[in-house]
Amino acid sequence: MTWILQSEWFENESKTGGLTLTLIGKGAEHLSATSRLAFTSITRIPPQTELSNAHFVARTANYHEIAPFEDLQAKEGDKENNLVWSLTIPTLSHQPNHYTDGPSCAYLIHETGEIEEVVCASLQPRQQTRQEATKDAPIDPPLPDGPMLGLLPMPEVARIEEWHQEAPKGFFLSDVSLCNQINDLIQRLFPKEQRCFFDQPSERLLEVNLGYYEQEEKDEQPEDPLPSSDEDHQEETSFLMDFSHDHILITTNEGEACLYALIALAQMRQTALKSDHFAFPASGMIIDSPRFSWRGMHLDVSRQVYETQDILNFLDILAWNRFNRLHLHLTDDEGWRLESKAYPRLSEVGAWRGHSLPLKPQHGSGPSRHGGFFRHDDILKIISHAQSLNIVVVPEIDIPGHCYAALMALPELLDPSALTGGASIQGYVNNALNPGLAATWRFLDTIFAEVADLFPSPWVHIGGDEVAEQAWSGSGAAMSWAKAKGLVDSDGKPDSASMQAVIMRHVETFLHKKGKIAIGWEEAANREGLSPHKSPIMAWMKAQSAIDLAQKGYQVILCPGEAYYLDMAQSHDWQEPGLSWAGISSAEQTYQFEPKLNGLSEKQLLGIQGCIWSENLTSRQRFNHMVFPRLSAIAESAWSDPEKKSWQSFKIRMAFMPSMPEKAHNTNGIKN
């Protein structure tokens, strides 16, 4: 017997349209009215919605349970003996625009407790969805005649006087440690590639010599320095390549720029070997340094499960693209992914989803126990690998909202009176840490002490986004605390924004004492929760937010949803996976977006960052489709000056950039 759930979106008089769900039981004769259909869907059923031919049972965020009004039987005379249950949801949380907006997993729950899995078909539109008019794409200027540099990102200065007729067989590099480091990286990224660097000379190899800039003594740093994007950092990561027919001189400092220079050599050789568009320099020079000091990529490891090896592979790709920050989003409503020695239930309970567990299935995870977490040893392995690639791992513990997993794991963080409250935009009720409970403040100090001790990163991201306006309205403890602190509005009601600001300032001060710099999403600046003098802010809602924050005195990391959120769909096509609340963002749109905005100085703009949110990334194939080549498009904007960029050239170069190994995610989600 096989159960299949089909779903179809249709337009109606509501703003969102509706869904028709059809459950087909192949070989099924009976479905009891006591059975329930459970499914997860990013497009949700709003509270109090009356369904047609079904009744609503329960919902937690994207997890739904519905049931038939009466016992259902297969129709008499049906040769295939199929049972069919069709129902209608007349209004939705939002209008779906892509097939990934619909149900992503489903199962039946019978009165006996038996679970039957249901095959979930992709959401279909009942009629052709309206497509936005597309403007004619600008005509790209023709590629220059003759060979090009096969580098990504493109260098600051390239003066090539002559090209080799053939790409070199490889390079002689006498520094055995560096030779092994770059070869190992190439082998991990391109297992089928031949060895590129050798520690013994040969006539077939180009010799690579290393020279070093004289290190100037730096002035003593001011107290409580913020990271900067000024010329000092660019000098630390700059390199010069001087090419001749039989050798290459690389001049740099002894830091991260040396690895960047060797990666550049390997890229130029690889592209020259594989495409007639590119060649390897025989004489001339390249001078290079990054545009921004913060060249980041964010990865959400809460919504989906990632193995330690997945993170190590991803770090290799970031290094090849010359990123220097991995922002690891370790906690959210759907899962707590970091071991805590002080609160072991965070990983024992908060890291797992499943039908019989406190955390219900979400984002396609299904009824079976699904989840995992990173032990401290895993994190230390990740940090060590990142350091070898000049990448800082920036941890994020998202507070005070997005804490449903923590609250389900630790009952002492729940106020028994808080039975209701404002729902988050993802549909979670009561998912914010409660400032009215003493346990909350102990939890914050303990968790951030663990994080500060575990991660050497100067920065710790503390979230601060998407707290519901009435997050604590149902809590007597929170209301009493707010009134005692004077955190009330003109009507005497608790002011959630002011309440959050107090929490943000507390954690910022705590981290400051631990020698760390707090970072937050842009809402963390509301009511000056995070200080403009201490904490950078990530502008994510829209690009204009960066200017608004800079005018308030903040240093800004720009990661706007309309350009740098890699969970956004790449076209309006229904069959294109992703979300579209910030619009669509094709690879070209991501590449052409210019982060140097009017009214925002280089010193105010600390850097840029792409964000990979994982709700829809249910397979490695979909991950690679949505992340690449947009990741490389952001990399070039983070490193290269605007006048050095060319979409026409990028379209050719991006084909040689690596992606994640083509294997499925750990589908049962079990790790550790």
Side-chain angles (χ1 to χ4, degrees):
M1 182 168 56
T2 301
W3 293 94
I4 300 172
L5 180 64
Q6 298 176 345
S7 55
E8 186 178 69
W9 175 73
F10 60 89
E11 292 186 278
N12 58 17
E13 65 280 359
S14 73
K15 294 180 180 179
T16 64
L19 283 186
T20 297
L21 301 183
T22 303
L23 180 68
I24 302 172
K26 293 191 173 182
E29 297 180 358
H30 174 79
L31 182 65
S32 170
T34 59
S35 296
R36 290 163 287 157
L37 172 65
F39 64 94
T40 67
S41 175
I42 288 176
T43 302
R44 300 180 295 276
I45 303 175
Q48 286 80 51
T49 300
E50 292 188 8
L51 312 183
S52 171
N53 203 31
H55 65 87
F56 179 85
V57 177
R59 196 196 87 193
T60 301
N62 300 318
Y63 171 81
H64 303 74
E65 289 183 18
I66 58 178
F69 284 131
E70 57 186 6
D71 290 354
L72 301 175
Q73 308 288 338
K75 290 183 178 180
E76 292 185 11
D78 187 331
K79 295 181 180 180
E80 297 182 3
N81 200 30
N82 289 340
L83 184 150
V84 179
W85 172 30
S86 185
L87 61 107
T88 301
I89 306 167
T91 187
L92 307 169
S93 59
H94 61 276
Q95 178 180 312
N97 293 303
H98 304 276
Y99 78 96
T100 47
D101 288 330
S104 53
C105 78
Y107 58 95
L108 285 168
I109 310 163
H110 297 297
E111 188 176 21
T112 60
E114 179 191 0
I115 299 294
E116 283 191 272
E117 295 216 33
V118 174
V119 177
C120 209
S122 297
L123 176 64
Q124 300 295 321
R126 182 176 295 177
Q127 56 192 21
Q128 186 64 37
T129 59
R130 294 188 299 269
Q131 300 290 316
E132 292 185 15
T134 56
K135 298 179 180 178
D136 292 335
I139 299 174
D140 292 315
L143 290 170
D145 293 332
M148 299 186 299
L149 282 175
L151 271 176
L152 206 165
M154 287 298 283
E156 184 178 4
V157 175
R159 300 186 185 122
I160 309 304
E161 299 165 359
E162 191 177 358
W163 303 89
H164 280 285
Q165 292 298 313
E166 295 182 359
K169 301 296 183 183
F171 306 102
F172 163 52
L173 179 63
S174 61
D175 188 316
V176 177
S177 177
L178 274 175
C179 192
N180 290 336
Q181 182 185 16
I182 184 65
N183 276 332
D184 288 348
L185 175 61
I186 295 169
Q187 185 63 31
R188 293 193 301 266
L189 289 171
F190 307 100
K192 296 181 181 180
E193 293 286 327
Q194 297 293 322
R195 189 179 181 189
C196 189
F197 289 83
F198 299 83
D199 56 21
Q200 296 296 323
S202 167
E203 292 182 0
R204 304 172 64 202
L205 303 177
L206 274 180
E207 182 175 355
V208 177
N209 297 314
L210 301 178
Y212 299 102
Y213 301 132
E214 292 185 9
Q215 299 292 316
E216 296 182 4
E217 292 188 10
K218 293 184 178 181
D219 296 334
E220 189 172 328
Q221 291 288 329
E223 186 179 356
D224 304 333
L226 279 173
S228 68
S229 56
D230 58 22
E231 294 177 358
D232 288 341
H233 181 85
Q234 292 181 344
E235 289 175 2
E236 291 173 3
T237 55
S238 65
F239 60 86
L240 183 151
M241 289 184 183
D242 198 345
F243 296 90
S244 65
H245 282 266
D246 58 358
H247 75 275
I248 302 163
L249 174 62
I250 297 175
T251 307
T252 181
N253 68 338
E254 296 186 46
E256 58 196 54
C258 191
L259 179 61
Y260 292 149
L262 297 180
I263 289 173
L265 283 182
Q267 284 185 353
M268 286 188 288
R269 174 181 174 271
Q270 182 189 60
T271 52
L273 283 170
K274 295 184 176 182
S275 172
D276 293 338
H277 289 289
F278 307 108
F280 195 88
S283 65
M285 69 168 55
I286 289 174
I287 304 171
D288 210 0
S289 62
R291 181 183 182 189
F292 295 116
S293 65
W294 188 289
R295 305 182 303 281
M297 188 58 61
H298 156 288
L299 180 62
D300 161 25
V301 298
S302 172
R303 275 55 178 259
Q304 304 295 344
V305 177
Y306 294 82
E307 303 283 354
T308 299
Q309 188 59 51
D310 292 331
I311 308 302
L312 301 181
N313 293 341
F314 192 62
L315 284 165
D316 288 340
I317 292 171
L318 295 186
W320 198 254
N321 284 271
R322 290 185 241 172
F323 285 101
N324 64 352
R325 307 281 185 265
L326 171 59
H327 171 180
L328 211 51
H329 187 83
L330 291 161
T331 69
D332 216 298
D333 297 308
E334 292 86 352
W336 185 283
R337 303 285 176 229
L338 180 64
E339 178 187 24
S340 169
K341 302 294 187 182
Y343 295 99
R345 281 178 58 85
L346 285 173
S347 53
E348 293 169 359
V349 177
W352 305 95
R353 303 194 297 258
H355 171 67
S356 60
L357 300 177
L359 269 65
K360 295 301 181 185
Q362 301 287 343
H363 305 303
S365 58
S368 300
R369 187 171 183 260
H370 172 98
F373 62 96
F374 297 103
R375 299 186 186 276
H376 284 196
D377 287 347
D378 298 323
I379 293 296
L380 293 175
K381 186 175 182 180
I382 289 168
I383 289 169
S384 176
H385 191 68
Q387 288 174 333
S388 74
L389 300 170
N390 308 324
I391 296 171
V392 178
V393 179
V394 180
E396 180 184 356
I397 305 296
D398 198 351
I399 57 104
H402 289 286
C403 282
Y404 187 79
L407 294 170
M408 293 298 99
L410 303 174
E412 63 267 33
L413 299 180
L414 287 170
D415 177 4
S417 71
L419 300 178
T420 60
S424 72
I425 195 167
Q426 287 82 16
Y428 284 95
V429 177
N430 195 23
N431 74 331
L433 294 175
N434 193 322
L437 302 176
T440 294
W441 302 97
R442 290 194 297 270
F443 173 78
L444 290 171
D445 289 355
T446 303
I447 286 297
F448 282 103
E450 285 189 314
V451 170
D453 291 342
L454 181 59
F455 287 86
S457 164
W459 307 277
V460 175
H461 202 296
I462 64 174
D465 63 314
E466 297 183 326
V467 174
E469 187 174 336
Q470 300 296 323
W472 297 289
S473 63
S475 167
M479 291 183 180
S480 296
W481 179 84
K483 290 178 180 178
K485 297 287 185 180
L487 305 175
V488 294
D489 59 22
S490 57
D491 296 326
K493 296 180 180 178
D495 182 349
S496 60
S498 296
M499 294 165 73
Q500 172 173 322
V502 173
I503 298 172
M504 294 285 104
R505 284 193 290 271
H506 174 86
V507 177
E508 178 186 56
T509 300
F510 180 87
L511 288 172
H512 185 72
K513 291 177 181 177
K514 299 283 289 185
K516 302 292 186 180
I517 299 167
I519 296 180
W521 301 110
E522 62 183 78
E523 299 97 315
N526 293 343
R527 309 287 202 277
E528 287 197 357
L530 292 184
S531 166
H533 308 295
K534 293 181 180 179
S535 300
I537 296 292
M538 289 187 172
W540 68 274
M541 291 186 182
K542 53 186 177 181
Q544 179 63 36
S545 298
I547 296 175
D548 298 338
L549 289 162
Q551 289 173 347
K552 295 177 181 178
Y554 288 96
Q555 278 194 314
V556 180
I557 299 162
L558 186 61
C559 48
E562 71 262 31
Y564 290 166
Y565 265 37
L566 302 188
D567 58 324
M568 293 299 108
Q570 297 179 70
S571 79
H572 293 290
D573 192 318
W574 181 271
Q575 297 302 324
E576 183 67 36
L579 303 174
S580 53
W581 60 262
I584 65 158
S585 182
S586 67
E588 182 175 5
Q589 287 169 307
T590 298
Y591 185 82
Q592 301 288 17
F593 178 80
E594 174 46 43
K596 188 175 181 180
L597 302 171
N598 294 332
L600 190 63
S601 73
E602 290 283 357
K603 287 195 174 184
Q604 289 174 302
L605 185 56
L606 186 59
I608 66 174
Q609 177 171 288
C611 291
I612 301 170
W613 298 99
S614 295
E615 288 93 335
N616 276 318
L617 302 183
T618 53
S619 70
R620 180 54 47 79
Q621 182 182 21
R622 190 179 291 174
F623 182 99
N624 283 342
H625 173 79
M626 295 186 70
V627 171
F628 306 104
R630 291 190 290 183
L631 179 144
S632 293
I634 296 169
E636 187 143 289
S637 293
W639 183 280
S640 305
D641 292 329
E643 61 271 17
K644 304 299 179 184
K645 293 170 54 180
S646 162
W647 168 247
Q648 189 79 342
S649 166
F650 177 80
K651 284 192 293 185
I652 302 172
R653 290 177 288 128
M654 70 185 186
F656 301 97
M657 300 302 284
S659 59
M660 290 285 277
E662 281 288 353
K663 70 175 185 65
H665 276 309
N666 186 3
T667 52
N668 63 8
I670 305 298
K671 72 187 290 287
N672 295 306

